[in-house]
Short mmCIF file of all heavy atoms in Angstrom, two decimals:
data_model
loop_
_atom_site.label_atom_id
_atom_site.label_comp_id
_atom_site.label_asym_id
_atom_site.label_seq_id
_atom_site.Cartn_x
_atom_site.Cartn_y
_atom_site.Cartn_z
N GLY C 1 -25.00 88.42 298.65
CA GLY C 1 -24.46 89.73 298.91
C GLY C 1 -25.26 90.57 299.87
O GLY C 1 -26.34 90.20 300.32
N TRP C 2 -24.68 91.72 300.20
CA TRP C 2 -25.31 92.73 301.03
C TRP C 2 -25.46 94.01 300.23
O TRP C 2 -24.53 94.43 299.53
CB TRP C 2 -24.49 93.01 302.29
CG TRP C 2 -24.56 91.93 303.31
CD1 TRP C 2 -23.72 90.87 303.46
CD2 TRP C 2 -25.54 91.81 304.35
NE1 TRP C 2 -24.10 90.09 304.51
CE2 TRP C 2 -25.22 90.64 305.08
CE3 TRP C 2 -26.65 92.56 304.72
CZ2 TRP C 2 -25.98 90.22 306.17
CZ3 TRP C 2 -27.41 92.14 305.80
CH2 TRP C 2 -27.06 90.98 306.52
N TYR C 3 -26.62 94.62 300.37
CA TYR C 3 -26.92 95.90 299.75
C TYR C 3 -27.41 96.86 300.83
O TYR C 3 -27.79 96.45 301.92
CB TYR C 3 -28.01 95.74 298.67
CG TYR C 3 -27.59 94.89 297.49
CD1 TYR C 3 -27.46 93.51 297.61
CD2 TYR C 3 -27.33 95.47 296.25
CE1 TYR C 3 -27.08 92.73 296.52
CE2 TYR C 3 -26.95 94.70 295.16
CZ TYR C 3 -26.83 93.33 295.31
OH TYR C 3 -26.46 92.56 294.22
N ARG C 4 -27.42 98.14 300.51
CA ARG C 4 -27.95 99.11 301.46
C ARG C 4 -28.69 100.21 300.71
O ARG C 4 -28.42 100.48 299.54
CB ARG C 4 -26.84 99.71 302.33
CG ARG C 4 -25.83 100.57 301.58
CD ARG C 4 -24.71 100.97 302.52
NE ARG C 4 -23.73 101.83 301.87
CZ ARG C 4 -22.59 102.20 302.43
NH1 ARG C 4 -22.28 101.80 303.66
NH2 ARG C 4 -21.75 102.99 301.76
N GLN C 5 -29.61 100.83 301.43
CA GLN C 5 -30.38 101.92 300.86
C GLN C 5 -30.57 103.00 301.91
O GLN C 5 -31.18 102.77 302.95
CB GLN C 5 -31.74 101.43 300.35
CG GLN C 5 -32.52 102.47 299.58
CD GLN C 5 -33.69 101.87 298.83
OE1 GLN C 5 -34.17 100.79 299.16
NE2 GLN C 5 -34.16 102.57 297.81
N ALA C 6 -30.04 104.16 301.63
CA ALA C 6 -30.20 105.32 302.50
C ALA C 6 -31.42 106.12 302.05
O ALA C 6 -31.83 106.02 300.89
CB ALA C 6 -28.95 106.19 302.45
N PRO C 7 -31.99 106.93 302.93
CA PRO C 7 -33.16 107.74 302.54
C PRO C 7 -32.87 108.60 301.32
O PRO C 7 -31.85 109.28 301.25
CB PRO C 7 -33.41 108.60 303.78
CG PRO C 7 -32.87 107.80 304.92
CD PRO C 7 -31.66 107.11 304.36
N GLY C 8 -33.76 108.54 300.35
CA GLY C 8 -33.62 109.34 299.15
C GLY C 8 -32.60 108.81 298.16
O GLY C 8 -32.35 109.46 297.14
N LYS C 9 -32.01 107.67 298.46
CA LYS C 9 -30.99 107.09 297.60
C LYS C 9 -31.47 105.74 297.06
O LYS C 9 -32.32 105.09 297.64
CB LYS C 9 -29.68 106.90 298.35
CG LYS C 9 -29.10 108.16 298.96
CD LYS C 9 -28.57 109.09 297.89
CE LYS C 9 -27.92 110.32 298.53
NZ LYS C 9 -26.70 109.95 299.32
N GLN C 10 -30.89 105.35 295.95
CA GLN C 10 -31.21 104.04 295.41
C GLN C 10 -30.40 102.97 296.12
O GLN C 10 -29.36 103.24 296.72
CB GLN C 10 -30.96 103.99 293.90
CG GLN C 10 -29.52 104.17 293.47
CD GLN C 10 -29.36 104.14 291.96
OE1 GLN C 10 -30.33 104.02 291.22
NE2 GLN C 10 -28.13 104.24 291.49
N ARG C 11 -30.88 101.76 296.07
CA ARG C 11 -30.18 100.65 296.69
C ARG C 11 -28.85 100.42 295.98
O ARG C 11 -28.78 100.42 294.75
CB ARG C 11 -31.05 99.40 296.65
CG ARG C 11 -30.53 98.25 297.50
CD ARG C 11 -31.56 97.13 297.59
NE ARG C 11 -32.79 97.59 298.23
CZ ARG C 11 -33.83 96.80 298.48
NH1 ARG C 11 -33.79 95.52 298.16
NH2 ARG C 11 -34.92 97.30 299.06
N GLU C 12 -27.81 100.21 296.78
CA GLU C 12 -26.49 100.02 296.22
C GLU C 12 -25.83 98.77 296.78
O GLU C 12 -26.09 98.36 297.90
CB GLU C 12 -25.59 101.24 296.49
CG GLU C 12 -25.28 101.46 297.96
CD GLU C 12 -24.31 102.59 298.20
OE1 GLU C 12 -23.66 103.06 297.23
OE2 GLU C 12 -24.17 103.02 299.37
N LEU C 13 -24.97 98.19 295.98
CA LEU C 13 -24.22 97.03 296.40
C LEU C 13 -23.17 97.42 297.42
O LEU C 13 -22.45 98.41 297.25
CB LEU C 13 -23.56 96.38 295.18
CG LEU C 13 -22.62 95.20 295.47
CD1 LEU C 13 -23.41 94.00 295.97
CD2 LEU C 13 -21.84 94.83 294.21
N VAL C 14 -23.06 96.62 298.48
CA VAL C 14 -22.04 96.82 299.50
C VAL C 14 -20.93 95.78 299.35
O VAL C 14 -19.75 96.12 299.30
CB VAL C 14 -22.63 96.75 300.91
CG1 VAL C 14 -21.53 96.86 301.97
CG2 VAL C 14 -23.68 97.84 301.11
N ALA C 15 -21.32 94.52 299.29
CA ALA C 15 -20.36 93.43 299.18
C ALA C 15 -21.06 92.23 298.59
O ALA C 15 -22.25 92.00 298.84
CB ALA C 15 -19.76 93.08 300.54
N ILE C 16 -20.33 91.43 297.83
CA ILE C 16 -20.97 90.29 297.18
C ILE C 16 -19.97 89.15 297.01
O ILE C 16 -18.79 89.38 296.71
CB ILE C 16 -21.58 90.71 295.83
CG1 ILE C 16 -22.44 89.59 295.23
CG2 ILE C 16 -20.51 91.17 294.84
CD1 ILE C 16 -23.32 90.06 294.08
N ILE C 17 -20.46 87.95 297.23
CA ILE C 17 -19.70 86.73 296.96
C ILE C 17 -20.27 86.14 295.68
O ILE C 17 -21.44 85.79 295.62
CB ILE C 17 -19.82 85.70 298.10
CG1 ILE C 17 -19.34 86.28 299.42
CG2 ILE C 17 -19.05 84.43 297.75
CD1 ILE C 17 -19.66 85.41 300.62
N ILE C 18 -19.44 86.03 294.68
CA ILE C 18 -19.86 85.45 293.42
C ILE C 18 -19.39 84.00 293.38
O ILE C 18 -18.23 83.71 293.62
CB ILE C 18 -19.27 86.23 292.23
CG1 ILE C 18 -19.76 87.68 292.26
CG2 ILE C 18 -19.64 85.57 290.91
CD1 ILE C 18 -19.09 88.58 291.26
N SER C 19 -20.34 83.10 293.11
CA SER C 19 -20.01 81.68 293.07
C SER C 19 -18.93 81.42 292.04
O SER C 19 -19.07 81.79 290.88
CB SER C 19 -21.26 80.87 292.76
OG SER C 19 -20.96 79.48 292.74
N GLY C 20 -17.87 80.78 292.50
CA GLY C 20 -16.76 80.48 291.61
C GLY C 20 -15.92 81.67 291.24
O GLY C 20 -15.03 81.56 290.38
N GLY C 21 -16.19 82.79 291.87
CA GLY C 21 -15.49 84.00 291.52
C GLY C 21 -15.01 84.78 292.73
O GLY C 21 -14.91 84.24 293.83
N PRO C 22 -14.74 86.05 292.54
CA PRO C 22 -14.16 86.86 293.61
C PRO C 22 -15.20 87.39 294.58
O PRO C 22 -16.41 87.34 294.33
CB PRO C 22 -13.52 88.02 292.84
CG PRO C 22 -14.43 88.21 291.67
CD PRO C 22 -14.86 86.81 291.28
N ILE C 23 -14.71 87.89 295.70
CA ILE C 23 -15.51 88.69 296.61
C ILE C 23 -15.26 90.14 296.24
O ILE C 23 -14.12 90.57 296.10
CB ILE C 23 -15.12 88.44 298.08
CG1 ILE C 23 -15.41 86.99 298.45
CG2 ILE C 23 -15.87 89.40 298.99
CD1 ILE C 23 -14.94 86.60 299.84
N THR C 24 -16.33 90.88 296.07
CA THR C 24 -16.24 92.26 295.61
C THR C 24 -16.88 93.20 296.61
O THR C 24 -17.94 92.90 297.15
CB THR C 24 -16.91 92.41 294.23
OG1 THR C 24 -16.29 91.53 293.29
CG2 THR C 24 -16.79 93.83 293.71
N TYR C 25 -16.24 94.34 296.83
CA TYR C 25 -16.74 95.35 297.76
C TYR C 25 -16.91 96.68 297.06
O TYR C 25 -16.16 97.00 296.13
CB TYR C 25 -15.77 95.55 298.93
CG TYR C 25 -15.59 94.34 299.81
CD1 TYR C 25 -14.58 93.42 299.55
CD2 TYR C 25 -16.43 94.12 300.89
CE1 TYR C 25 -14.41 92.30 300.35
CE2 TYR C 25 -16.27 93.01 301.69
CZ TYR C 25 -15.26 92.10 301.42
OH TYR C 25 -15.10 90.99 302.23
N ALA C 26 -17.87 97.44 297.53
CA ALA C 26 -17.97 98.81 297.09
C ALA C 26 -16.73 99.57 297.53
O ALA C 26 -16.17 99.31 298.59
CB ALA C 26 -19.22 99.48 297.67
N VAL C 27 -16.30 100.50 296.71
CA VAL C 27 -15.11 101.28 297.03
C VAL C 27 -15.25 101.96 298.38
O VAL C 27 -14.29 102.04 299.16
CB VAL C 27 -14.82 102.31 295.92
CG1 VAL C 27 -13.69 103.26 296.33
CG2 VAL C 27 -14.47 101.61 294.62
N SER C 28 -16.45 102.42 298.70
CA SER C 28 -16.67 103.17 299.92
C SER C 28 -16.50 102.34 301.19
O SER C 28 -16.31 102.90 302.27
CB SER C 28 -18.07 103.79 299.91
OG SER C 28 -19.07 102.79 299.81
N VAL C 29 -16.57 101.01 301.09
CA VAL C 29 -16.47 100.15 302.27
C VAL C 29 -15.24 99.26 302.24
O VAL C 29 -14.95 98.58 303.24
CB VAL C 29 -17.73 99.28 302.47
CG1 VAL C 29 -18.98 100.15 302.44
CG2 VAL C 29 -17.80 98.18 301.42
N LYS C 30 -14.53 99.24 301.15
CA LYS C 30 -13.39 98.34 301.01
C LYS C 30 -12.35 98.64 302.09
O LYS C 30 -11.98 99.78 302.33
CB LYS C 30 -12.78 98.48 299.62
CG LYS C 30 -11.80 97.37 299.26
CD LYS C 30 -11.41 97.44 297.79
CE LYS C 30 -10.54 96.27 297.39
NZ LYS C 30 -10.19 96.31 295.95
#
């Protein structure tokens, strides 16, 4: 997956490929 971290913010999930499962996106980037 891909994560991102903005200044003063915690690291957040952007997009992820789960083995044997779905591809999931953060609502903000979907």
Side-chain angles (χ1 to χ4, degrees):
W2 286 93
Y3 295 73
R4 66 186 181 187
Q5 188 167 21
K9 303 289 183 65
Q10 65 181 2
R11 191 170 298 183
E12 65 175 347
L13 175 68
V14 176
I16 189 166
I17 302 170
I18 299 172
S19 181
I23 297 174
T24 302
Y25 296 91
V27 172
S28 60
V29 308
K30 194 171 185 178

